[in-house]
Amino acid sequence: MLTRRLTYAVAAACLLASSLLHAALPSAVDGQPIPSLAPMLESVTPAVVNVNSKTVERVRNPLAEDPFFRQFFGLGNVPQERVKQSLGSGVVIDAAEGLVLTNNHVIEGATELSVTLSDGRTLAAEFVGADPDTDVALIRIPSEGLTAVPLPRDASHLRVGDFVVAVGNPFGLGQTVTSGIVSALGRSGLQGLGYQNFIQTDASINPGNSGGALVNLRGELVGINSAIFSPSGGNVGIGFAIPVELAQEVMRQLLAFGEVRRGSLGIQTQDVTPQLAELLGLGQRRGAVVTRVQQDSPADEAGLKPGDVIVKIAGKPVPDRLALHNLEGLLPVDEAVALVALREGRELTLSTVLKAQLRQLGGADLDPRLVGARFVELPERVRQRGGEGVALEAVEPGSRAAANGLRAGDIITAVNRRDVSDLASLAARLSQPPPQLVLTVVRGRQAVLALME
């Protein structure tokens, strides 16, 4: 009994001391108010929303495949529907137009979208467009009573060490704020993602934060929270956000064209190996070695030649071929771009204008034996994993391409045993239709030779 009374007394004393301590906290030190993020967040949090996506999937009942169960229980051989729901975050970027930026992976495949505002309203959302290769998506909601997050005058002034705040909806808990610093800029090389130029931060980003806002201490949007690096699935202090200038450019193109139009130099490259560095006299310098230049391409017009080593593009260093490809895909189409290349020990500065990449090719435009097939570029996420070739997006039933055994989802990697890396090279291989046409087709985990007749 005595021990219990002592315990209660100690607890009461701790509570009293705690209340006195809090009551005694000063509102200012040396005449200056104690710093707080609250005033800034009062203007930012109304612009950060919860994005709710619903996806209806058609699934088959395995019991319905069994004739006994189908007859005995009256199970029809009709696919059933399964509804999947997911939560993420979004940022109101234009209050007058009701435009909300979020991540593509938050709304991908959704059949129904809604947005919940910080004031509790839930609004139906309309899909505007998405770019899987940068993981940016744009949706629209009714514009009444919205608040947009302020944008910085010049986002390029963001530096490593700057304080930032992440606002989102982690784990569906509701709006949550975390703070940290910018840990690194220009991060790339994350698996499963396309073009990358991430802001790295140690502000806690967890599942559900995707699509939320990363803001500076002035409350200006500097990034869209997108991904985390974690062996466990939870936050370990390594989060990534899409820079606001990249998200704005994607939004601009989605509104203008309904898609993102990327440019291409029209070259193939490889990394500088130690052996190549010695052969080309590069010393410790690294870059991307040009191995092929397409005729009449921007690179051809600029004067690039096989053997040149690109070390800089648009003022940014190029340490390897992956970095070059990444930067190339992030640059706007139809705008001049400067290249710095090494040729026989000399440094050259060249200029060209990126041309839009081919988006798709119809089989009828390539060869009569491919009529009914529609070819598209491989997703950038597949290319980041080393994939090469072109994808078959669709094959018309009963067409000549279908009769030749081609299927939607096939990947064409070679024509008559000559490699195909993209749509441009496929068109080049078939510029003069060969008497015999054999495609190397990758289907699942198998590669087969298919004769087109």
Side-chain angles (χ1 to χ4, degrees):
M1 180 66 71
L2 180 60
T3 303
R4 185 177 300 173
R5 287 177 180 173
L6 286 173
T7 302
Y8 289 155
V10 170
C14 289
L15 287 173
L16 179 61
S18 175
S19 63
L20 289 173
L21 179 62
H22 284 288
L25 280 175
S27 60
V29 176
D30 295 333
Q32 298 297 319
I34 294 177
S36 173
L37 296 174
M40 177 271 287
L41 290 170
E42 287 173 358
S43 64
V44 170
T45 51
V48 181
V49 302
N50 295 346
V51 178
N52 312 283
S53 64
K54 182 185 294 184
T55 305
V56 178
E57 296 180 339
R58 297 177 69 84
V59 295
R60 302 193 70 85
N61 186 345
L63 295 179
E65 303 292 334
D66 189 299
F68 171 78
F69 281 98
R70 189 165 59 243
Q71 179 179 1
F72 190 80
F73 292 103
L75 298 175
N77 195 23
V78 179
Q80 297 177 329
E81 291 186 344
R82 178 174 61 192
V83 178
K84 291 176 61 179
Q85 289 185 299
S86 62
L87 294 174
S89 304
V91 183
V92 178
I93 198 77
D94 187 328
E97 296 295 328
L99 297 175
V100 177
L101 279 173
T102 185
N103 286 146
N104 174 68
H105 75 261
V106 169
I107 57 91
E108 190 172 21
T111 53
E112 186 177 323
L113 290 169
S114 63
V115 163
T116 302
L117 306 180
S118 61
D119 61 11
R121 287 183 292 161
T122 297
L123 307 172
E126 169 197 358
F127 175 78
V128 176
D131 179 39
D133 285 334
T134 53
D135 199 24
V136 174
L138 184 65
I139 59 179
R140 192 192 307 269
I141 58 176
S143 59
E144 294 81 5
L146 298 182
T147 299
V149 66
L151 299 174
R153 292 182 180 179
D154 188 353
S156 65
H157 289 166
L158 190 68
R159 300 175 301 170
V160 173
D162 284 352
F163 287 101
V164 287
V165 178
V167 187
N169 178 34
F171 300 109
L173 294 172
Q175 196 171 84
T176 301
V177 175
T178 57
S179 65
I181 64 169
V182 174
S183 305
L185 296 170
R187 285 292 195 222
S188 61
L190 278 67
Q191 290 189 356
L193 298 171
Y195 295 105
Q196 303 173 30
N197 182 30
F198 288 113
I199 301 166
Q200 182 182 326
T201 178
D202 64 352
S204 293
I205 296 175
N206 286 291
N209 267 115
S210 294
L214 188 72
V215 299
N216 58 25
L217 294 189
R218 289 186 292 274
E220 298 167 334
L221 185 69
V222 296
I224 303 295
N225 300 325
S226 180
I228 61 173
F229 179 83
S230 170
S232 62
N235 178 266
V236 294
I238 304 178
F240 301 95
I242 301 163
V244 65
E245 61 267 34
L246 173 57
Q248 284 182 288
E249 173 61 20
V250 170
M251 181 180 77
R252 183 190 67 79
Q253 294 205 43
L254 291 176
L255 288 171
F257 314 118
E259 62 180 4
V260 175
R261 298 179 177 179
R262 291 197 165 85
S264 171
L265 289 171
I267 57 175
Q268 292 182 11
T269 61
Q270 70 177 71
D271 289 339
V272 175
T273 63
Q275 293 82 4
L276 272 176
E278 182 178 355
L279 179 65
L280 298 173
L282 298 178
Q284 297 300 315
R285 302 194 71 172
R286 290 294 179 264
V289 182
V290 178
T291 57
R292 178 173 172 267
V293 178
Q294 295 175 12
Q295 188 175 359
D296 299 325
S297 66
D300 189 27
E301 293 172 1
L304 275 175
K305 299 179 180 179
D308 290 347
V309 181
I310 299 175
V311 295
K312 191 176 290 187
I313 181 171
K316 297 181 180 179
V318 175
D320 51 38
R321 62 172 293 276
L322 180 61
L324 173 64
H325 186 67
N326 192 49
L327 291 168
E328 183 182 9
L330 295 174
L331 291 172
V333 178
D334 297 329
E335 289 189 14
V337 59
L339 301 168
V340 177
L342 302 177
R343 179 185 298 166
E344 298 177 354
R346 295 181 296 115
E347 188 172 278
L348 305 174
T349 300
L350 309 170
S351 180
T352 188
V353 175
L354 292 185
K355 293 180 180 177
Q357 294 175 328
L358 286 170
R359 302 297 297 179
Q360 64 178 36
L361 280 174
D365 298 324
L366 297 170
D367 189 286
R369 291 161 286 191
L370 300 175
V371 170
R374 184 166 70 246
F375 301 92
V376 295
E377 296 283 13
L378 288 180
E380 187 57 30
R381 288 170 287 183
V382 176
R383 293 195 181 279
Q384 294 281 15
R385 297 195 297 268
E388 293 286 348
V390 299
L392 259 171
E393 185 180 54
V395 178
E396 294 178 11
S399 66
R400 192 165 173 182
N404 280 324
L406 297 180
R407 304 177 191 171
D410 287 349
I411 296 175
I412 311 303
T413 61
V415 171
N416 291 343
R417 298 185 182 274
R418 298 176 67 194
D419 289 344
V420 167
S421 58
D422 52 21
L423 289 177
S425 62
L426 175 65
R429 294 280 185 259
L430 295 174
S431 59
Q432 297 293 329
Q436 187 178 61
L437 178 58
V438 179
L439 303 181
T440 302
V441 180
V442 175
R443 182 175 296 159
R445 295 186 176 183
Q446 294 184 329
V448 297
L449 295 177
L451 175 63
M452 302 293 105
E453 297 178 333

